[in-house]
Amino acid sequence: MITRIELDGFKSFEKKNLDLRPFTLLTGLNSSGKSSVIQALLMVERATKGNGFLLDDHGTGRELTNTYAPAFNITAFDDRNKSISLHNENDRQTILNEGITMPDIFYSEAGRYGSQSSIKVFNSTAEMDSKGGNLLKCIDTYADEPLNNKLIHPNAQGETLMFNLKAWLDIISPGVNFTYELQRLSDQSFPYFDEHRATNVGFGLSYTLPIIAILLRASLLNDSLVLLENPEAHLHPKGQTEIGKFIALCADNGVNVVVETHSDHLFDGIRIYTKQHPAFAEEFISYWFEQDERKNTKADIITLNKDGKYTNDTPSGFFDQFEIDAETLLF
């Protein structure tokens, strides 16, 4: 498990150490640094595979260096305190790997595919990509794998991934029947909801299906890290709360997650789960990011107690818009 990441001179992070727990939640104003943390973790993963560490379409090392720093350094630590450091100075990259153990990383980006009649099938892998490509082949590959007993939905017809994917999807859209078709000769697959193509169904189902699938897929491994950007996208507030509870359940049962979100409803789902499972409070940490006058990221830590309540004062802007709007309307 990755337990800590240090960002020194990286983008808007002048110098910041972030502890990671089984469930790490990132929130804050737009362009405050949330996605940069996920980007840094993806760079660490790339470095451990021997492919350098710069990501496609994210610019050169010089572009990623903080305005006030001559270079940047990203260091990740695992639960044995082994580390890997990525260093960039004048667009020269070096990697120092001191034997870190990296989990299998699964990433669902904010720009994942929405409602599509067909989804591309990849021949080289069974895993889905960050946009949701190969999703249905991934589901089909692991459909019959038995899940951790604690992840089995009470209404699931069995213990396998497919039975439970359908049951958990039902909490988002009650009564929906998800099926799919693979056409391997044309490298295409087709999702259906209540026998309708995805383009004739609301966006929420198409955006949520890869979130549920990637979490259940990751649960089949002993050490995994799931990076989720805006898992609440296109969901009704009730669905956002339910997906928050589901992510917390997965994090409480072996799936390490880092979630970027703007949803107070998703956060309430985590708080409800914590109240129902008090020990989970120790497994959760959240960060509120905003930029200071120099456009550097500052981070406030918010944790929960066993009742799902905040253990410390929360900064202005931290999921407080409902109260602000209610006060404006009432008085």
Side-chain angles (χ1 to χ4, degrees):
M1 173 182 174
I2 303 299
T3 59
R4 181 161 54 97
I5 187 165
E6 297 180 355
L7 305 176
D8 186 357
F10 180 66
K11 299 180 74 172
S12 64
F13 290 91
E14 193 168 17
K15 191 172 183 63
K16 191 66 62 179
N17 296 339
L18 302 173
D19 290 329
L20 305 181
R21 294 187 186 176
F23 195 146
T24 303
L25 184 138
L26 313 174
T27 190
L29 302 177
N30 294 106
S31 299
S32 59
K34 304 181 297 298
S35 297
S36 296
V37 177
I38 291 177
Q39 181 182 349
L41 289 167
L42 292 171
M43 291 169 67
V44 167
E45 178 199 29
R46 185 175 177 87
T48 61
K49 294 180 177 179
N51 299 318
F53 57 75
L54 295 180
L55 304 178
D56 295 337
D57 299 323
H58 285 76
T60 65
R62 192 183 302 271
E63 288 180 73
L64 302 178
T65 302
N66 186 280
T67 303
Y68 302 98
F72 76 71
N73 204 74
I74 298 170
T75 306
F77 298 84
D78 65 14
D79 48 9
R80 303 175 304 149
N81 206 35
K82 299 293 185 179
S83 66
I84 183 171
S85 293
L86 322 181
H87 182 75
N88 178 88
E89 186 169 4
N90 296 325
D91 275 334
R92 296 182 62 185
Q93 288 86 43
T94 56
I95 300 170
L96 177 61
N97 190 340
E98 298 183 343
I100 191 173
T101 299
M102 282 296 292
D104 290 284
I105 290 185
F106 301 88
Y107 172 42
S108 182
E109 63 177 272
R112 59 190 176 273
Y113 302 131
S115 295
Q116 294 193 128
S117 294
S118 64
I119 299 174
K120 184 70 175 175
V121 169
F122 305 151
N123 293 316
S124 59
T125 180
E127 309 303 341
M128 72 186 85
D129 68 12
S130 63
K131 290 183 178 293
N134 213 43
L135 168 62
L136 300 180
K137 181 185 175 184
C138 179
I139 291 172
D140 188 72
T141 300
Y142 300 104
D144 296 328
E145 292 290 330
L147 294 181
N148 178 332
N149 287 338
K150 293 183 179 179
L151 297 182
I152 295 175
H153 191 282
N155 297 331
Q157 297 179 19
E159 64 179 7
T160 64
L161 183 144
M162 177 56 75
F163 282 132
N164 285 276
L165 183 146
K166 290 183 175 183
W168 287 112
L169 193 63
D170 189 67
I171 70 173
I172 304 302
S173 183
V176 69
N177 180 35
F178 164 66
T179 56
Y180 64 92
E181 175 186 359
L182 292 181
Q183 292 186 359
R184 297 183 185 275
L185 292 180
S186 61
D187 296 330
Q188 293 292 331
S189 60
F190 305 88
Y192 303 109
F193 301 99
D194 292 335
E195 300 184 358
H196 301 299
R197 66 177 67 193
T199 49
N200 287 329
V201 182
F203 270 64
L205 286 169
S206 295
Y207 269 81
T208 306
L209 179 61
I211 299 298
I212 296 174
I214 205 170
L215 287 163
L216 294 181
R217 161 66 186 113
S219 76
L220 301 175
L221 299 169
N222 291 327
D223 188 17
S224 61
L225 174 61
V226 178
L227 309 176
L228 301 176
E229 293 180 338
N230 304 122
E232 74 279 1
H234 296 286
L235 287 180
H236 180 275
K238 181 180 185 298
Q240 295 181 35
T241 299
E242 292 298 332
I243 202 70
K245 291 159 63 176
F246 175 67
I247 298 171
L249 172 68
C250 293
D252 202 18
N253 289 282
V255 182
N256 298 309
V257 295
V258 175
V259 173
E260 175 190 350
T261 185
H262 292 284
S263 173
D264 52 348
H265 301 294
L266 184 145
F267 190 68
D268 285 344
I270 300 164
R271 296 176 65 191
I272 291 168
Y273 182 89
T274 304
K275 184 173 182 179
Q276 296 169 342
H277 305 82
F280 183 67
E282 298 298 320
E283 307 297 307
F284 176 78
I285 190 170
S286 59
Y287 293 95
W288 167 262
F289 292 154
E290 57 184 324
Q291 292 189 351
D292 61 21
E293 64 281 356
R294 301 169 73 221
K295 295 190 178 297
N296 285 324
T297 296
K298 55 182 182 178
D300 289 297
I301 297 174
I302 296 94
T303 54
L304 301 175
N305 65 21
K306 63 181 181 179
D307 296 317
K309 297 180 180 178
Y310 305 135
T311 59
N312 53 320
D313 293 335
T314 59
S316 175
F318 183 80
F319 296 132
D320 58 4
Q321 195 60 42
F322 178 84
E323 288 80 6
I324 293 171
D325 291 344
E327 185 176 354
T328 301
L329 290 167
L330 291 173
F331 298 101

